[in-house]
Structures are given as structure tokens and as C-alpha cells.
Amino acid sequence: MKTAIFSDFDGTISLKDVGYSLFHHFSNGKNDELLPDWKSGVMSTRDCLLAEAAMVNASPDEIYKFIDTIGIDPDFPKLLTICQEKSIPLQILSDGLDIYIKYLLEKANLTNLDFLANHAELVNNTIEITFDHENKRCQRCGICKGEIISGFRESKDEPYQIIFIGDGYSDICAAKEADILFAKKDLKEYCIKEDINFISYTHFDEIVLELKQRNIL
């Protein structure tokens, strides 16, 4: 059976949650007031992001200077290289913002990597967000990763083993679609609570080792 890998970005590929850290910094922590409603599903990701963006008053230079303080997992490029060598599809699915994902991937010389994320532009010292992806059923997510994975399966003429790598509540829908799930932090706690099978990890070197041991890589 062929394999496809999907990965979250914020706090998974990046060493810190870029979106949360960005909004936390430029709102002086006021965005934390939104998190309980977002985590419980009372507030959708789209409403949460728009509310967080409204709290920002910073120049593009200030925003990019802050983003520069956050790196990516140094072992992620290793997984990407192996996947490309073995023709294993690897795609980033993010409910964060394309503006910092693109920037950090380019900074790490990882420009040949496909990703989906919500769109953002820096305008008049704030962040304007648009949601270009239309979810079919999900009302929780900006971009529903579970629907993306389900659509990927349906588009193929043969079955695929789906691997998903994540760390938070934005990965809940994807976790339910994965055949092999790597989870940490909030996603790990959610999986324990909901009795969802997962493999615990901290960094991508552990993921590469596990997939090699399973003869997937």
C-alpha cells in the first residue's frame, strides 16, 4: 500500500506555535482570553483568528522580526528529503497563516514543499486574514485537515496509508482520519481522553526512526 504524510506546521514543524506566539506578543497576552472557547469548540478557528488579528498594531518589520525568533525542527528536512527520494507525498496542512509559513520555509530553503493555510496580508499595521478554503461540513476549522485528508483518499484509485503529525486542537479532525498518528502536547492529551491510538513524539528524528523501523521510509 502506498503512503502519504500530512503534517501540521505550528508547534509541529516550527519549534513554537508561530501564530499563537505572534498574537500573544502583539496583543500583550489578551488573545489568551479567547483560547478556552476556541479549545472547547464554542468559537471557531476563523472567528478566533479574526479576533486575534484585530488586536495587532505592529509594522511589517516588527512582525517579521518577531517571526525570525522562531525556527523549525532541524530534523524535519531529513523527513522531507527521504519522502522526496521515495516519492512519498508530504504536505503541510495548517490552520494558521500562510504569511509566516512561506517565510519560514523559504528561510530554511524548503521552497519545494506544498502547504495549505489560511491567507494573511500585512495592511495598515495589522493583519488581514481571508479564508480561501471552503469546508464542506466542518464548522470548527479554518481549513479542516480531516476533510482534506478524506478528499485525498477519495481522489485516488488505490488505497493509501495516511500518516498525520500534529500537536494541537486544530489537528483533531485530521487525527480521526489518520491510519498512523504522531501526537504531542494538546493533541496527545485529546487522544488519551478520546481513546484514539497515537505514537508519542517530541521531535522529527523520532518520527523518522519510527517510520524506518516500520519499513515505511
Side-chain angles (χ1 to χ4, degrees):
M1 182 182 294
K2 291 185 176 180
T3 296
I5 301 176
F6 296 90
S7 178
D8 170 55
F9 184 82
D10 282 71
T12 300
I13 293 173
S14 61
L15 293 174
K16 293 171 63 177
D17 187 320
V18 187
Y20 168 77
S21 299
L22 181 70
F23 289 126
H24 185 80
H25 179 77
F26 289 106
S27 73
N28 293 317
K30 291 180 181 178
N31 70 321
D32 285 354
E33 298 172 6
L34 305 172
L35 297 184
D37 281 349
W38 175 71
K39 287 184 176 182
S40 68
V42 171
M43 174 179 273
S44 71
T45 294
R46 297 187 181 197
D47 288 340
C48 186
L49 285 174
L50 291 173
E52 288 179 307
M55 298 175 181
V56 175
N57 182 11
S59 70
D61 285 345
E62 289 174 313
I63 289 172
Y64 280 115
K65 185 177 180 180
F66 180 81
I67 295 171
D68 274 330
T69 66
I70 301 175
I72 67 166
D73 188 314
D75 289 302
F76 174 71
K78 183 189 301 182
L79 174 63
L80 177 59
T81 297
I82 296 172
C83 286
Q84 290 172 338
E85 290 173 349
K86 295 183 176 293
S87 297
I88 298 173
L90 171 58
Q91 183 179 27
I92 295 172
L93 301 181
S94 173
D95 221 0
L97 306 179
D98 59 359
I99 192 168
Y100 57 73
I101 296 175
K102 184 175 185 292
Y103 179 79
L104 289 173
L105 290 178
E106 288 178 349
K107 186 178 176 181
N109 295 315
L110 300 175
T111 55
N112 56 341
L113 180 57
D114 187 27
F115 73 87
L116 287 176
N118 303 302
H119 181 60
E121 294 185 11
L122 304 182
V123 181
N124 297 325
N125 279 5
T126 190
I127 301 174
E128 290 190 356
I129 301 173
T130 55
F131 304 98
D132 301 332
H133 177 78
E134 183 177 353
N135 297 328
K136 294 179 180 179
R137 298 172 300 277
C138 180
Q139 300 298 314
R140 179 188 181 100
C141 305
I143 293 177
C144 182
K145 302 173 189 182
E147 287 191 9
I148 297 295
I149 293 172
S150 178
F152 175 86
R153 288 189 195 272
E154 293 171 1
S155 71
K156 300 301 179 182
D157 295 327
E158 55 187 311
Y160 268 74
Q161 174 178 239
I162 300 297
I163 296 170
F164 184 79
I165 306 162
D167 81 314
Y169 283 92
S170 69
D171 302 315
I172 287 172
C173 293
K176 298 172 183 176
E177 293 288 338
D179 299 305
I180 298 175
L181 173 65
F182 289 93
K184 63 179 178 179
K185 301 178 184 174
D186 286 343
L187 181 60
K188 178 178 177 178
E189 293 181 9
Y190 176 83
C191 289
I192 293 171
K193 180 180 176 182
E194 298 296 324
D195 197 25
I196 297 172
N197 290 329
F198 70 94
I199 301 168
S200 180
Y201 78 101
T202 303
H203 299 293
F204 271 85
D205 57 342
E206 299 164 89
I207 295 173
V208 171
L209 179 61
E210 179 70 26
L211 294 181
K212 283 184 175 181
Q213 291 176 341
R214 291 173 177 245
N215 295 317
I216 294 173
L217 296 182

